[in-house]
Amino acid sequence: MVANLPSAVPQFWSGSNLTLGVLARVDGTTYSLLGALGNGTQAASVVSADFTPSHTIFNLLAGSANLTLDFFSPVSPANYVRQSLPFSYLTVSASSSNGSSIQVYTDIDETWTGQSGDTASNFTTSGSASLYQLSVNGAMLYTESASMQALWGAAVLASSSNSTAQSGAPAVVRGQFATNGSLSGSQPAYAAGNVVAFAQDLGSVSDETSATFAIGYVRELAVNYLNTTRTGYYRATYPDTPSAAAAFLGDYAAANAESQSLDSTLQSKATAAGGSNYSTIVTLSTRQTYGGLDVTIPGDTLDTGDLLVFLKEISSDGNVNTMDVIYPAFPAFYVMDPEYIRLLLEPVVQYLATGAWTQPYVIHDIGNNYPNATGHNDQQDEAQPIEETGNLLILAYAYQKATGNTTFTDTYTSLFQGYADYLVANGLNISSQLSTDDGAGPLPNQTNLAIKAAVGLTAFGNMTGMDNYTAVGLNYSNQLYNQGLGTDPNKTHFTLEYGNYTTYTTTFNLYPDTLLGLNTFPAAAFEMQSAYYPTVRAQTGVPLDPRVDWGKTDWYIFAAASSASNSTADMLIDDVYGFISNGLNEVPFSDRFFVSSDMGDTPGLYDAFEARPVVGGEFAILALQGSDIVTG
């Protein structure tokens, strides 16, 4: 796509096309910078591309002008207003050696609404900003398209109020800009295929001059939590979309300055922690992790003291606040702002505390289809009893350890203790059940689940000072490793399931034992696994276990972070980097990829998943350096 940027069509993560046209008019000649080639425009020449944790930047040459497209999505965890505003910036910058006359233009259409043919357009000016809102007529609340695009909100394109604007057929609107360098202001009723557009005149340009646009999708009714409406945190300050868009554009300088500091700090710390390849992995993961979140307050009171964060299990099934998605993602929050660990757990724990979920183990998620976080009062979830119960206890202690704040864990100690008791009774002799890697199918007595139970119990014991639970976790560890219940007879590796000595498993659940300093398992267990992984590596990585021909990037980095061998850690890091840089994949960062051809698949190709926030797990090595180390 990069090489053909002037003719490329951007896509939603699921693959549906999104119209986004960007033009520059240089001394009367119009060039397509992105997605708008045709109707007499020339293709600008792509010079280079780069990305940081919060920016994607393209440099192009159009006639005598150097043009830059900077797509910027703020990652500002501690600034809840900035983090919750549902927009991204597109900044078009230009410079020229001969004072060229330059105008720039951008447009979108109804593809951003998730459907076609039933779209309403609204044009508004609010203070210093003008904006278009495209919405679906009569859309049902909290529904999405087959491609998982939200249908009940509004796509937004905004620009400064001194821009010119126009809507209509693409050939007409783009033609107007090509001829005049400005737009006519015409606003006919929206028809299928129309675009809405803004243009800005940069004037006679020598030194770099820029124009900034805002693009986003607003859902004022953002999440249905237990039949109450949650809305974006920003609405306590900016109660409507026009004021929010104007504030977003007005915040550009401050947001950009913050991003430059965050990007530089995050990349340098990641390089120091794991090398340049690791830094690239973290860089690629950052926006994808935070892009899966809604930072919300109650829609009726707009009470900023009642803050909850919701997470969508993107791509795999669309569940709400899935516990085994929060678990792999949590290292990013541990590093960037640990408060998010609690804010993600609160919606789950508050629901569990109602008693509506009556099972003795922790629920898998709080809703089948985002954003409907309505719980599972019917007790029908994708049951992963040991997985999710261990996850909750580990995550709760991770929050407490990272922040030093015991209020959350003290409030729910009784609830958590009930789940710890479940692990005491069921965490070693495990019935046939799914783990987080549900695509591999259920098995009884999965060693990696027993490891999670052991670590979960020691986490709970440390969290509460109830040493009897720590003792049980240590007893599980003793049986699994020292007594060989979870290893082969020669103690060369942990097995997939007890007694099946020719099998193995990727023991990513050892990672929180390392991160949280729990010392559940002895150093020899970590040394054993570190020595074993290279012996089962296939063409492009280590299969999760012998049942499958794929590996997972988050679990590779969990394993690398808990490795006792630098060479094994480097192997795992390099395999993730090799996957993201091999040029075989044109989808958003997938956390699962084929590593072997033994089952007929192509090593290095992604497998099924796209754009999931679990890539927060790529921060696992960096998290070993401490909590809140980038923005704190």
Side-chain angles (χ1 to χ4, degrees):
M1 177 176 174
V2 172
N4 301 308
L5 197 67
S7 59
V9 179
Q11 291 184 331
F12 190 59
W13 69 261
S14 60
S16 54
N17 289 340
L18 300 173
T19 295
L20 176 60
V22 184
L23 299 169
R25 189 171 181 266
V26 181
D27 294 328
T29 301
T30 303
Y31 297 86
S32 174
L33 308 183
L34 171 63
L37 195 60
N39 299 312
T41 61
Q42 297 184 28
S45 300
V46 181
V47 176
S48 64
D50 198 6
F51 64 94
T52 72
S54 56
H55 294 257
T56 299
I57 300 166
F58 301 98
N59 295 303
L60 305 96
L61 183 63
S64 60
N66 296 299
L67 280 299
T68 298
L69 302 182
D70 181 355
F71 294 90
F72 165 34
S73 296
V75 176
S76 185
N79 186 330
Y80 296 138
V81 172
R82 186 175 288 159
Q83 187 60 50
S84 65
L85 281 162
F87 309 110
S88 293
Y89 297 102
L90 166 59
T91 298
V92 185
S93 301
S95 62
S96 172
S97 60
N98 61 357
S100 292
S101 173
I102 300 176
Q103 300 83 40
V104 297
Y105 162 105
T106 190
D107 66 34
I108 66 170
D109 72 4
E110 65 185 352
T111 54
W112 291 75
T113 70
Q115 56 80 58
S116 62
D118 197 12
T119 302
S121 174
N122 178 266
F123 177 78
T124 309
T125 295
S126 175
S128 60
S130 296
L131 67 152
Y132 285 99
Q133 298 182 68
L134 300 179
S135 58
V136 181
N137 288 312
M140 290 183 62
L141 188 60
Y142 304 132
T143 59
E144 60 184 23
S145 69
S147 60
M148 298 183 79
Q149 285 182 256
L151 293 173
W152 74 97
V156 175
L157 177 66
S159 185
S160 64
S161 56
N162 61 3
S163 306
T164 57
Q166 187 176 345
S167 64
V172 173
V173 179
R174 293 172 182 176
Q176 165 72 23
F177 174 76
T179 301
N180 300 287
S182 62
L183 298 175
S184 69
S186 174
Q187 309 292 349
Y190 194 88
N194 279 8
V195 296
V196 295
F198 288 108
Q200 292 192 38
D201 188 351
L202 302 184
S204 179
V205 174
S206 294
D207 297 334
E208 185 172 277
T209 306
S210 62
T212 296
F213 306 92
I215 305 171
Y217 191 92
V218 171
R219 295 170 291 118
E220 289 193 0
L221 306 177
V223 173
N224 172 21
Y225 179 51
L226 306 182
N227 298 314
T228 64
T229 297
R230 307 288 299 187
T231 192
Y233 185 96
Y234 70 91
R235 289 196 63 238
T237 306
Y238 308 111
D240 55 51
T241 299
S243 64
F248 183 77
L249 286 169
D251 189 46
Y252 174 76
N256 188 48
E258 180 193 48
S259 77
Q260 300 300 324
S261 175
L262 181 145
D263 289 356
S264 175
T265 300
L266 182 55
Q267 289 176 301
S268 64
K269 286 183 178 290
T271 300
S276 60
N277 286 355
Y278 177 65
S279 181
T280 299
I281 296 165
V282 168
T283 296
L284 185 62
S285 304
T286 306
R287 273 176 281 170
Q288 184 165 308
T289 301
Y290 282 89
L293 305 181
D294 272 320
V295 180
T296 74
I297 55 177
D300 52 358
T301 66
L302 303 181
D303 177 8
T304 57
D306 183 1
L307 173 61
L308 298 175
V309 175
F310 294 86
L311 175 150
K312 182 177 183 178
E313 186 178 340
I314 294 173
S315 177
S316 37
D317 62 15
N319 290 169
V320 186
N321 284 48
T322 306
M323 288 300 299
D324 61 291
V325 173
I326 299 172
Y327 173 71
F330 93 88
F333 310 127
Y334 192 92
V335 166
M336 300 286 281
D337 187 341
E339 199 62 33
Y340 278 69
I341 300 173
R342 180 187 67 82
L343 293 171
L344 284 160
L345 292 180
E346 282 278 12
V348 180
V349 173
Q350 288 182 21
Y351 172 66
L352 292 173
T354 68
W357 175 254
T358 61
Q359 302 304 314
Y361 51 81
V362 172
I363 200 167
H364 172 266
D365 60 80
I366 54 171
N368 285 332
N369 302 109
Y370 200 91
N372 291 295
T374 51
H376 291 288
N377 294 3
D378 62 359
Q379 315 305 304
Q380 300 299 308
D381 72 338
E382 185 187 355
Q384 297 177 16
I386 301 299
E387 177 71 47
E388 309 303 16
T389 305
N391 286 339
L392 177 59
L393 300 181
I394 291 167
L395 290 166
Y397 182 57
Y399 168 73
Q400 179 180 298
K401 186 173 179 66
T403 63
N405 188 335
T406 63
T407 302
F408 172 67
T409 49
D410 287 349
T411 299
Y412 293 107
T413 294
S414 178
L415 181 71
F416 294 161
Q417 186 173 3
Y419 294 127
D421 288 339
Y422 180 83
L423 292 184
V424 170
N426 300 279
L428 193 64
N429 298 309
I430 302 174
S431 62
S432 182
Q433 60 188 268
L434 295 171
S435 73
T436 180
D437 296 298
D438 48 5
L443 281 176
N445 293 324
Q446 294 184 57
T447 301
N448 200 34
L449 280 182
I451 290 171
K452 176 160 284 181
V455 175
L457 285 166
T458 56
F460 178 75
N462 278 265
M463 178 171 65
T464 61
M466 297 182 188
D467 293 339
N468 52 318
Y469 289 94
T470 300
V472 176
L474 293 173
N475 177 51
Y476 283 6
S477 166
N478 179 58
Q479 292 188 61
L480 289 167
Y481 179 73
N482 292 329
Q483 297 182 32
L485 178 63
T487 73
D488 70 302
N490 296 322
K491 281 194 172 59
T492 65
H493 62 281
F494 282 114
T495 58
L496 173 62
E497 55 183 333
Y498 309 159
N500 196 343
Y501 301 136
T502 60
T503 65
Y504 68 91
T505 185
T506 307
T507 50
F508 50 84
N509 286 324
L510 289 172
Y511 169 69
D513 200 33
T514 299
L515 176 68
L516 304 177
L518 295 169
N519 298 313
T520 312
F521 286 84
F526 295 87
E527 293 165 0
M528 175 186 73
Q529 285 297 94
S530 301
Y532 188 74
Y533 288 136
T535 70
V536 290
R537 184 183 181 276
Q539 288 110 307
T540 58
V542 178
L544 177 78
D545 62 50
R547 296 173 295 173
V548 299
D549 60 350
W550 44 261
K552 292 196 81 265
T553 65
D554 46 357
W555 301 150
Y556 278 16
I557 302 302
F558 271 46
S562 54
S563 176
S565 162
N566 288 337
S567 62
T568 297
D570 289 344
M571 177 193 77
L572 294 164
I573 292 167
D574 290 346
D575 283 343
V576 176
Y577 179 81
F579 164 60
I580 65 175
S581 63
N582 65 22
L584 298 177
N585 302 285
E586 296 183 349
V587 300
F589 187 5
S590 173
D591 56 286
R592 197 167 88 180
F593 68 105
F594 295 116
V595 299
S596 169
S597 59
D598 288 351
M599 298 180 185
D601 294 305
T602 301
L605 285 181
Y606 86 99
D607 179 25
F609 297 158
E610 305 172 36
R612 301 204 311 159
V614 300
V615 297
E618 318 301 348
F619 284 67
I621 294 170
L622 186 54
L624 298 178
Q625 307 304 309
S627 62
D628 204 13
I629 60 173
V630 175
T631 59

